[in-house]
Amino acid sequence: MNEALRKRFAPVVSCLFAMAVATGCASTRITNQQEVAIGKLPRPDRIWVYDFAATAADVPADSPLAGQASAKSQTPEQVATGRQLGAQIAAELVVQISGMGLPAARAGAGTIPQINDLVIRGSLLSVNPGNEAERLTIGMGAGASELKTAVEGYQMTAHGLRKL
């Protein structure tokens, strides 16, 4: 390889190497994934996204997560922050789903899904804001914030919600 070609590709190779290292450092875990509905679904008229539940009391009674008490009690400020975060997550999901060309809207207490509509509900399992001092001094992912959620998807049928 001649010198000009080597100089031309050096930044590209460096960038690819940096991306590979960054990808190797990132981690994602999906646990307890269940597939219930199989097959192609009809296009929904609407995808309803509910605010993510911030407390055990906020979880719908028909959810598999209902009745599972939180490991620690929350202050009123933590509950308010969790509910605000749950609303922001739902709003962002609506934006992203709409960006894919699908009809999405925020759902509320009075929302009544129609047949073939999809319903997305979620719960905040834990919120850890992390440690800013560790992030600044140590770096490399130390002190990172962490958010654990559970998400449920349903299709409305003539017999009620069917888990997806």
Side-chain angles (χ1 to χ4, degrees):
M1 195 185 289
N2 68 26
E3 190 63 33
L5 199 55
R6 198 174 296 173
K7 285 183 181 181
R8 185 174 177 196
F9 285 110
V12 174
V13 172
S14 298
C15 185
L16 289 173
F17 178 75
M19 286 175 35
V21 169
T23 302
C25 292
S27 64
T28 300
R29 277 188 299 168
I30 297 175
T31 57
N32 196 18
Q33 183 177 8
Q34 300 174 348
E35 187 173 327
V36 178
I38 301 173
K40 192 171 185 176
L41 297 173
R43 185 174 177 89
D45 286 332
R46 180 86 46 218
I47 299 172
W48 296 104
V49 181
Y50 286 85
D51 290 357
F52 279 42
T55 67
D58 295 341
V59 177
D62 62 343
S63 169
L65 298 172
Q68 294 182 10
S70 176
K72 64 178 185 175
S73 63
Q74 298 173 308
T75 66
E77 293 81 19
Q78 290 171 323
V79 171
T81 300
R83 287 185 176 148
Q84 183 180 16
L85 182 59
Q88 288 174 341
I89 291 170
E92 181 61 29
L93 270 174
V94 168
V95 169
Q96 289 184 9
I97 293 168
S98 297
M100 291 186 268
L102 297 168
R106 295 267 304 275
T111 301
I112 301 173
Q114 302 301 307
I115 292 179
N116 290 328
D117 282 356
L118 299 182
V119 172
I120 298 174
R121 299 188 306 205
S123 298
L124 303 176
L125 302 178
S126 70
V127 179
N128 179 356
N131 185 319
E132 187 176 357
E134 284 184 17
R135 283 194 299 271
L136 292 175
T137 57
I138 300 172
M140 301 296 286
S145 59
E146 180 180 70
L147 173 65
K148 290 183 182 178
T149 61
V151 180
E152 305 167 330
Y154 298 90
Q155 177 190 29
M156 178 54 83
T157 67
H159 305 289
L161 293 175
R162 175 177 75 143
K163 188 169 178 134
L164 300 176

